Amino acid sequence: MKSQSDSYASAGVDITAGYKAVELMKSHIARTTTDGVIGSIGGFGGLFQPNLAGMEEPILVSGTDGVGTKLRIAFLMDKHDTVGIDCVAMCVNDIVCCGARPLFFLDYIACGKNYPDRIASIVSGVAEGCVQSGAALIGGETAEMPGFYPVDEYDLAGFAVGIVDKKKMIDNSAIRAGDVIIALPSSGVHSNGFSLVRKVFDVENSDIKTPNERLGGKSIGEALLAPTKIYVKPVLAVQEAVTIKGVSHITGGGFYENVPRSIPSGYTAKIEKASIRTPVLFDLIAEAGNIPERDMFNTFNMGVGMCMIVERNDVDTAISVLKKQGEAAYVIGEVVEGSEGVILC
């Protein structure tokens, strides 16, 4: 028999709503089941048995992140089935930068009031992100926190664990001058810079639901909610074909902060700004906020969600593999000697 507490309910926490939410999300979680999953949700810990066959020195790689203030757009649009993809993407895109294959994911949802259908909708997005990345959703937590969060708001975070054989790790140590930088296009703003986005569009007081001609008929709200693209399978596919020397996930801090993280000391990424295919959404952001170009590239991905560095002789093969994976990848620059980390010219 399920537990029930009238006293707890009087304080604003409905235990039975939590049970209903779990029942509603089970079908979504089932979509993510992989061979390593042991048992089902509901225990005190998620269980996973990794297949280590063929690995000489397996290394676990973990990453954690949240969706940030992009959630505010979800609240205003009353659309909650895509932010879970963002949550997974922000974690798995980080760990694949090391060449790691995601094994499993856990989420954490804190809310002012547990609306089971909404929680299940959020988890449906988490499950979709897990399917896209090949990770199993093996557990999570929903915390109802009345008086701490408004009843119609929530926060969402999670973490992923992946694995890579040490000899296949991407660690940037082999990068040399002349190596080529390949761009993997983003799906939009992804999940960074939304404090600035919300300010320049004044989302709390303006209409973000009206179709915008410059966005092909999508509204500002729809364009901003486009879920973060997950790059796991494309990167792992390239890793099987050529040697990847470095990978950068372009998140908060844009090009100036993230690209240097994949470049060793003594080298600089020289990127041709004219080669970057920037979606019109970023033009609208820059215009609305009168934001200088330098600040745009230091805040947003500008249409490039991930950068990959390979030898010049491997460029054609890498791009061919990426295109087979659905990525319209293209060259944006090269590695040169220098100490600047990144130069946009």
Side-chain angles (χ1 to χ4, degrees), residues 179-191:
D179 290 339
V180 175
I181 304 168
I182 298 173
L184 281 64
S186 70
S187 56
V189 181
H190 283 182
S191 298

Side-chain angles (χ1 to χ4, degrees), residues 17-180:
Y19 300 142
K20 182 178 180 181
V22 170
E23 288 301 316
L24 291 174
M25 66 178 72
K26 281 184 176 179
S27 63
H28 303 302
I29 295 171
R31 294 179 58 215
T32 75
T33 301
T34 62
D35 290 341
V37 176
I38 298 176
S40 59
I41 62 169
F44 288 101
L47 305 179
F48 192 92
Q49 183 175 14
N51 181 0
L52 305 181
M55 287 196 173
E56 298 176 6
E57 296 181 88
I59 295 176
L60 296 179
V61 183
S62 60
T64 184
D65 211 334
V67 183
T69 63
K70 181 175 184 174
L71 289 176
R72 193 69 195 158
I73 310 299
F75 302 158
L76 294 170
M77 297 292 290
D78 194 23
K79 182 174 173 57
H80 310 280
D81 61 347
T82 59
V83 290
I85 301 175
D86 291 295
C87 189
V88 175
M90 296 306 293
C91 298
V92 298
N93 283 346
D94 276 355
I95 68 175
V96 82
C97 288
C98 299
R101 173 175 57 86
L103 295 175
F104 57 82
F105 187 85
L106 283 84
D107 62 11
Y108 175 78
I109 305 169
C111 57
K113 183 174 177 59
N114 187 331
Y115 297 104
D117 290 334
R118 177 181 288 185
I119 297 299
S121 182
I122 297 167
V123 174
S124 74
V126 175
E128 176 59 27
C130 287
V131 169
Q132 290 183 24
S133 63
L137 179 56
I138 63 171
E141 177 70 16
T142 301
E144 191 172 19
M145 302 168 66
F148 193 86
Y149 290 95
V151 296
D152 58 347
E153 295 186 7
Y154 56 85
D155 199 4
L156 173 62
F159 78 90
V161 173
I163 194 167
V164 61
D165 201 347
K166 188 175 182 179
K167 65 184 179 182
K168 291 186 176 181
M169 279 186 64
I170 302 170
D171 63 3
N172 83 22
S173 62
I175 287 177
R176 298 292 183 268
D179 290 339
V180 175

